[in-house]
């Protein structure tokens, strides 16, 4: 699947304050366009862990790991080790 549009939205999302409603809306839009875009799931998980929302963090991170295990498994392990 061509991810050019998702890549453009992904880059644009970083122009907003991290965790803001607008940034989260961008990531939700990317996921709606392409549910297999692992980086959107990963970034969505990032703000959840910073808020201490472990349930949603692992929901989003597990999806990112499922889509791209070589890229995201290591960070999920770090979070399990240090945050939990």
């Amino acid at each position: 699947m061509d991810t050019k549009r998702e890549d453009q939205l992904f880059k644009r999302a970083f122009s907003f304050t991290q965790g803001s409603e607008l940034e989260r809306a961008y990531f939700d839009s990317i996921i709606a366009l392409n549910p297999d875009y692992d980086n959107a799931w990963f970034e969505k998980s990032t703000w959840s862990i910073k808020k201490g929302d472990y349930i949603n963090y692992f929901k989003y991170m597990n999806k990112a790991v499922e889509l791209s295990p070589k890229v995201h498994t290591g960070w999920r392990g770090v979070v399990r080790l240090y945050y939990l």
Side-chain angles (χ1 to χ4, degrees), residues 6 9 24-45 60 63 67:
E6 291 89 341
L9 285 172
R24 286 182 281 152
Y26 265 79
F27 291 135
D28 289 338
S29 297
I30 294 166
I31 291 168
L33 286 171
N34 182 358
D36 295 333
Y37 195 79
D38 63 300
N39 284 326
W41 288 103
F42 174 77
E43 289 300 330
K44 200 167 160 73
S45 76
Y60 303 141
K63 183 66 176 178
L67 295 170

Side-chain angles (χ1 to χ4, degrees), residues 20-79:
S20 69
E21 287 185 36
L22 197 49
E23 183 193 52
R24 286 182 281 152
Y26 265 79
F27 291 135
D28 289 338
S29 297
I30 294 166
I31 291 168
L33 286 171
N34 182 358
D36 295 333
Y37 195 79
D38 63 300
N39 284 326
W41 288 103
F42 174 77
E43 289 300 330
K44 200 167 160 73
S45 76
T46 301
W47 189 246
S48 296
I49 195 69
K50 289 182 179 184
K51 293 187 315 183
D53 184 359
Y54 301 115
I55 292 170
N56 280 325
Y57 166 78
F58 280 108
K59 175 181 156 185
Y60 303 141
M61 179 54 90
N62 288 340
K63 183 66 176 178
V65 169
E66 176 187 320
L67 295 170
S68 186
K70 289 182 181 178
V71 175
H72 301 294
T73 301
W75 183 247
R76 183 178 64 178
V78 167
V79 170

